[in-house]
Amino acid sequence: MSRTTGLVTYLLISFGVTWTVEITLRLLGFSLANPLVQLLSLGWIAPAAAAFVVRRWVTREGFADAGLALRMRAAWPHYLAAWLGPLAFTAAALGLAAVLGMWQPTLAPLEELVPGLPWWAFLAGLMLVVPLLAPLYWGEEFGWTSYLRLRIFPGRPLAATLATGLIWAIWHYPLAFLGYIEFGNVALGLLVWTVSFLCQEVILTWLRLRSGSIWTTSVAHAGNNMTLSLLTGMMWGANTGATAGIALMTAPMVVVAGWILLSGRYQARPTAVACQEPRGGALRAGRDERRSRYGCEAGVGPDQPGRP
């Protein structure tokens, strides 16, 4: 089947399942701010399920470019960046808030969270938990960064990244109306939120391109949620509104995303390995057509790192 058919099917499943479940849970009186309800909402797995269905049964192109291998030995610097990057963003966001007078520097919230536990012990424990939670965020990354981004604008990595970030943001929009996040000015809040998703996708795509693995982006995604969002929310509490808080967290991402784009780090060199097809007669059919259609053209090389 055509690439367009695959894209439409993927988006219908991802949006249809997630939005239907989220709205249903809210109508039943459940709070989407509850972590357990978030797990039950299937939002974290719907994109992965959609990508699996499309790759396996709709377009049948298989999983050769999905980046499923860990590649720990070759990609360890990117795993380190994915793990520590969100902590650096947290420090930068808090520093910016302090400079702007929006936050009074204090570690009291961390000290008070678990009585008797030093702030550094809590932080160390949190950092150790982040990689363990990466499988929960793998679902979104396998869908958005490792399927949609490769298919939506083949051969145009920047356009594909920005389009994926925009669609990923829109996929989250219902949460602003279902009690998960509250914006004083909804239009402004959604705009700032969208910029945040765009910057995140630029950085996640860079990790994906350079590491050749979707697991680096999963670690970074877990860190963004469990380190950046959690720690900043705890530190400045209710004194900073949702829109301002997201803007502060996004500011350092804008700098890093800008550096990635301006330095030309999306110009990854394609390699023969990036275009390998999975074994099996059924999936080998139409190999040459799929190579040209699904991201093995110049400038993509999705499964292999390019320049460091």
Side-chain angles (χ1 to χ4, degrees), residues 159-175:
T161 298
L162 296 179
T164 299
L166 178 60
I167 294 171
W168 184 32
I170 294 172
W171 181 73
H172 283 84
Y173 280 5
L175 297 177

Side-chain angles (χ1 to χ4, degrees), residues 77-146:
H78 303 94
Y79 277 102
L80 191 63
W83 183 49
L84 297 179
L87 185 61
F89 287 148
T90 301
L94 291 173
L96 180 60
V99 169
L100 296 176
M102 301 174 66
W103 174 65
Q104 184 65 37
T106 175
L107 296 175
L110 298 184
E111 297 278 4
E112 297 169 358
L113 187 64
V114 180
L117 185 69
W119 67 268
W120 57 266
F122 170 80
L123 184 59
L126 181 63
M127 292 301 294
L128 291 175
V129 167
V130 166
L132 300 179
L133 295 179
L136 292 179
Y137 297 95
W138 174 90
E140 284 190 59
E141 293 306 311
F142 179 70
W144 304 119
T145 305
S146 212

Side-chain angles (χ1 to χ4, degrees), residues 238-303:
N239 296 326
T240 303
T243 301
I246 293 174
L248 290 168
M249 288 187 289
T250 303
M253 293 185 190
V254 171
V255 175
V256 174
W259 168 74
I260 289 172
L261 297 178
L262 294 176
S263 61
R265 292 174 183 271
Y266 275 3
Q267 298 173 7
R269 295 189 298 269
T271 68
V273 177
C275 297
Q276 288 178 353
E277 295 294 324
R279 297 174 181 175
L283 293 180
R284 284 198 299 268
R287 177 178 58 189
D288 293 337
E289 178 184 0
R290 286 196 299 274
R291 282 181 175 176
S292 62
R293 182 179 298 168
Y294 294 126
C296 291
E297 59 270 46
V300 183
D303 274 38

Side-chain angles (χ1 to χ4, degrees), residues 6-308:
L7 286 172
V8 171
T9 303
Y10 169 80
L11 292 173
L12 286 176
I13 295 175
S14 297
F15 278 76
V17 171
T18 303
W19 285 11
T20 298
V21 173
E22 287 176 350
I23 293 172
T24 300
L25 288 172
R26 190 68 183 94
L27 291 175
L28 292 175
F30 293 98
S31 170
L32 293 179
N34 186 319
L36 179 59
V37 175
Q38 292 173 26
L39 287 174
L40 295 176
S41 73
L42 301 180
W44 58 283
I45 200 64
F52 182 86
V53 168
V54 172
R55 284 178 177 274
R56 181 65 181 86
W57 291 297
V58 179
T59 59
R60 297 188 178 184
E61 74 259 34
F63 304 88
D65 63 356
L68 297 178
L70 288 172
R71 295 176 54 83
M72 291 290 292
R73 177 177 295 182
W76 70 263
H78 303 94
Y79 277 102
L80 191 63
W83 183 49
L84 297 179
L87 185 61
F89 287 148
T90 301
L94 291 173
L96 180 60
V99 169
L100 296 176
M102 301 174 66
W103 174 65
Q104 184 65 37
T106 175
L107 296 175
L110 298 184
E111 297 278 4
E112 297 169 358
L113 187 64
V114 180
L117 185 69
W119 67 268
W120 57 266
F122 170 80
L123 184 59
L126 181 63
M127 292 301 294
L128 291 175
V129 167
V130 166
L132 300 179
L133 295 179
L136 292 179
Y137 297 95
W138 174 90
E140 284 190 59
E141 293 306 311
F142 179 70
W144 304 119
T145 305
S146 212
Y147 175 77
L148 180 63
R149 183 189 55 79
L150 296 181
R151 304 304 189 270
I152 194 166
F153 288 119
R156 298 169 58 190
L158 177 56
T161 298
L162 296 179
T164 299
L166 178 60
I167 294 171
W168 184 32
I170 294 172
W171 181 73
H172 283 84
Y173 280 5
L175 297 177
F177 304 95
L178 298 175
Y180 175 82
I181 188 170
E182 296 183 2
F183 296 116
N185 182 318
V186 176
L188 179 60
L190 290 178
L191 175 61
V192 174
W193 212 15
T194 300
V195 173
S196 176
F197 282 112
L198 289 172
C199 291
Q200 288 183 68
E201 187 59 35
V202 168
I203 297 169
L204 293 173
T205 294
W206 174 77
L207 284 170
R208 173 72 176 84
L209 285 170
R210 300 303 164 179
S211 69
S213 174
I214 195 59
W215 288 101
T216 55
T217 70
S218 302
V219 172
H221 193 153
N224 285 342
N225 282 37
M226 298 306 301
T227 303
L228 178 58
S229 296
L230 179 63
L231 288 179
T232 54
M234 289 171 54
M235 296 301 283
W236 55 51
N239 296 326
T240 303
T243 301
I246 293 174
L248 290 168
M249 288 187 289
T250 303
M253 293 185 190
V254 171
V255 175
V256 174
W259 168 74
I260 289 172
L261 297 178
L262 294 176
S263 61
R265 292 174 183 271
Y266 275 3
Q267 298 173 7
R269 295 189 298 269
T271 68
V273 177
C275 297
Q276 288 178 353
E277 295 294 324
R279 297 174 181 175
L283 293 180
R284 284 198 299 268
R287 177 178 58 189
D288 293 337
E289 178 184 0
R290 286 196 299 274
R291 282 181 175 176
S292 62
R293 182 179 298 168
Y294 294 126
C296 291
E297 59 270 46
V300 183
D303 274 38
Q304 295 298 311
R307 297 186 306 258

